[in-house]
Amino acid sequence: MMISAENIHFCIQKRPILDQVDLQIYPGEVLTILGPNGAGKSTLLKLLSGENTCDTGKISINQVLLQQLKPRQLAKYRAVMPQHSSVNFPYTVEEIIALGKLAHDPHSSSDQLMEEVMDITGTAALRERMIKGLSGGERQRVHLARALLQIWEDKPYARYLLLDEPTSSMDIAQQHQVLRLLRFLRQRNIGVLTILHDLNLAAQYSDKVMLMKDGKVVGFGPTSAIMTATKLSHVYGHPISVMSHPMDEKQVVITSETTSNNHTYASFKTA
Ligand code: ADP
Ligand code: MG
């Protein structure tokens, strides 16, 4: 059981956007994709979710090729939260989240599942509000709830949650709540793929990290092996230092000022 992508190439108007990308997402793990703007992260997520189809290569979910799955089956296996979900209709929060029920079986206790999901995403209090009137962070919680509801029910097969910068508009406390929730999903046999910009969130919560630059994978593996100062500085083209957190030994990422007149990376100085 996994999502597997093999040898993915993708071009837009003959310009290669993804080149030879391989990846596996296993249920129970949080895999984070990191990389600068334009690296191809969102494009890859759209291919994995079946929104776009790739020129070459194979993508499968739980051993079935993506193109062999009907939309309804696909919706049972994976839920997606895109980078920008714009809703221009006068929907309430409750109506948006309820869209996640559409993939449920007729006998599912969808109402009960919806209450659970609204509870854990902190969206219950927003239920009657109009989606357009919410702050960016609140809106992201609503879209997360909608995606989560789609795959929340316990099933004998693994499900996957694909998220494109799900916390980009949230405050620090909310970001941590969401990432803790993502980690908790391993108990429900759900695998998580998330694109993040915050390197420290990624270091703290990811089981694995994939680094992308210019449409290529430049690192993929356990978080501590991939999130090194050398690799991160290279990928972002910016001086980045990595230290060990005194409490849990996880990496702490520190970004420095750009050193414009030489090529040495500024090192972190303790007081
Ligand atoms: P990321 O999410 O890593 O910031 P994207 O996957 O959104 O990057 O984009 C990767 C590259 O593909 C960028 O150079 C972007 O400009 C280009 N791109 C993405 N979508 C389109 C499109 N529909 N038409 C033309 N170029 C695109
Ligand atoms: Mg993107």
Side-chain angles (χ1 to χ4, degrees):
M1 294 266 204
M2 62 168 147
I3 292 184
S4 158
E6 273 175 59
N7 202 14
I8 302 304
H9 291 261
F10 186 74
C11 293
I12 296 177
Q13 288 149 7
K14 304 215 171 124
R15 191 164 78 86
I17 305 292
L18 293 172
D19 184 18
Q20 224 189 325
V21 174
D22 287 275
L23 121 153
Q24 302 83 35
I25 309 161
Y26 293 97
E29 73 180 16
V30 175
L31 167 62
T32 298
I33 302 183
L34 297 174
N37 290 328
K41 306 180 298 296
S42 294
T43 305
L44 177 59
L45 191 127
K46 284 179 200 161
L47 293 174
L48 294 171
S49 69
E51 184 184 326
N52 290 347
T53 44
C54 45
D55 307 340
T56 60
K58 279 198 289 193
I59 301 176
S60 62
I61 296 192
N62 295 346
Q63 272 77 45
V64 185
L65 285 174
L66 219 52
Q67 61 265 32
Q68 294 176 346
L69 287 166
K70 298 195 176 70
R72 208 181 149 74
Q73 289 173 299
L74 193 54
K76 288 174 185 288
Y77 290 148
R78 64 95 184 98
V80 188
M81 178 176 163
Q83 189 167 4
H84 305 286
S85 325
S86 54
V87 180
N88 293 314
F89 300 103
Y91 283 128
T92 64
V93 165
E94 194 161 21
E95 284 165 335
I96 295 285
I97 298 175
L99 295 174
K101 291 179 185 175
L102 295 175
H104 291 179
D105 296 322
H107 59 265
S108 301
S109 27
S110 292
D111 293 340
Q112 166 68 26
L113 296 168
M114 181 153 158
E115 292 306 318
E116 284 173 24
V117 164
M118 289 204 298
D119 198 33
I120 57 169
T121 54
T123 49
L126 303 171
R127 66 196 310 156
E128 281 162 21
R129 298 268 303 276
M130 303 305 291
I131 185 88
K132 279 202 285 192
L134 300 183
S135 74
E138 288 169 336
R139 219 173 292 172
Q140 285 187 319
R141 286 201 332 258
V142 171
H143 286 294
L144 177 65
R146 195 259 315 140
L148 199 51
L149 178 59
Q150 189 183 320
I151 53 166
W152 185 242
E153 192 173 17
D154 266 323
K155 290 286 179 186
Y157 49 83
R159 285 99 62 223
Y160 306 88
L161 190 59
L162 311 177
L163 310 166
D164 197 344
E165 299 185 28
T167 60
S168 57
S169 303
M170 293 184 188
D171 65 43
I172 299 249
Q174 290 180 356
Q175 292 185 8
H176 281 269
Q177 276 168 18
V178 167
L179 268 293
R180 275 184 51 191
L181 168 60
L182 297 185
R183 225 169 37 178
F184 162 81
L185 295 179
R186 68 171 58 126
Q187 295 175 21
R188 292 186 87 88
N189 203 22
I190 292 172
V192 177
L193 174 75
T194 182
I195 297 171
L196 293 177
H197 265 310
D198 188 309
L199 299 176
N200 281 304
L201 272 190
Q204 223 175 319
Y205 292 97
S206 314
D207 299 302
K208 287 183 194 158
V209 169
M210 183 164 131
L211 289 183
M212 288 185 73
K213 187 183 174 76
D214 300 332
K216 295 189 181 67
V217 179
V218 294
F220 181 39
T223 306
S224 56
I226 300 300
M227 294 195 69
T228 64
T230 312
K231 287 193 171 82
L232 292 173
S233 300
H234 164 70
V235 163
Y236 287 97
H238 185 92
I240 292 172
S241 310
V242 178
M243 296 179 71
S244 178
H245 194 289
M247 307 286 276
D248 57 13
E249 307 279 301
K250 291 198 169 161
Q251 285 105 320
V252 181
V253 179
I254 298 145
T255 52
S256 328
E257 239 176 83
T258 309
T259 47
S260 54
N261 54 354
N262 61 47
H263 294 289
T264 56
Y265 293 140
S267 58
F268 184 76
K269 294 184 183 62
T270 48

